[in-house]
Amino acid sequence: QVQLVESGGGLVQPGGSLRLSCAAPGSIFRMSSMAWYRQASGKQRELVAAITSGGITNYTDSVKGRFTISRDNAKNTVYLQMNTLKTEDTAVYYCRLSTPWGNSHWGQGTQVTVSS
């Protein structure tokens, strides 16, 4: 089992910023696509942003222009920089690693709460 370690969640006011991090084993990280999902209370888990091993990114429409996904292969870590946060961004955020051979692994989740 591949262990993903997430960090960076917390409570922030609307308009504020947070940065999430997800670390993975180096042997597999560099060849894998990475993504951030979120699940709000009572809702289905949804894709927020993804980045391929080559650095190509995509975002769900609701976060375009506010969130940025990036990866540091030297640190085996993927980041999600979240700016101009809104109350509707409140959710548990999960990191997902997808290997070239079709396996997926999930982090434990980190709570992001946007509230005044």
Side-chain angles (χ1 to χ4, degrees):
Q1 183 69 14
V2 174
Q3 184 174 9
L4 305 180
V5 180
E6 301 171 8
S7 61
L11 173 64
V12 64
Q13 292 186 341
S17 298
L18 282 175
R19 188 177 79 157
L20 306 182
S21 300
C22 173
S27 59
I28 193 174
F29 178 83
R30 298 177 194 85
M31 66 181 70
S32 298
S33 295
M34 302 296 297
W36 288 98
Y37 286 72
R38 66 186 178 188
Q39 187 166 18
S41 180
K43 295 187 177 181
Q44 289 188 329
R45 191 172 298 189
E46 64 170 350
L47 174 66
V48 176
I51 185 167
T52 67
S53 59
I56 298 172
T57 60
N58 69 281
Y59 299 89
T60 191
D61 285 346
S62 62
V63 308
K64 286 180 180 177
R66 300 189 298 122
F67 290 11
T68 302
I69 188 170
S70 62
R71 62 191 298 157
D72 185 337
N73 288 341
K75 296 182 178 180
N76 306 321
T77 301
V78 63
Y79 303 99
L80 185 68
Q81 178 66 44
M82 305 185 293
N83 298 328
T84 319
L85 282 160
K86 305 176 180 180
T87 56
E88 52 263 43
D89 295 317
T90 296
V92 178
Y93 284 70
Y94 297 90
C95 173
R96 180 184 182 185
L97 180 150
S98 299
T99 69
W101 48 92
N103 301 116
S104 289
H105 305 275
W106 293 88
Q108 79 282 3
T110 185
Q111 177 70 46
V112 172
T113 302
V114 185
S115 175
S116 55

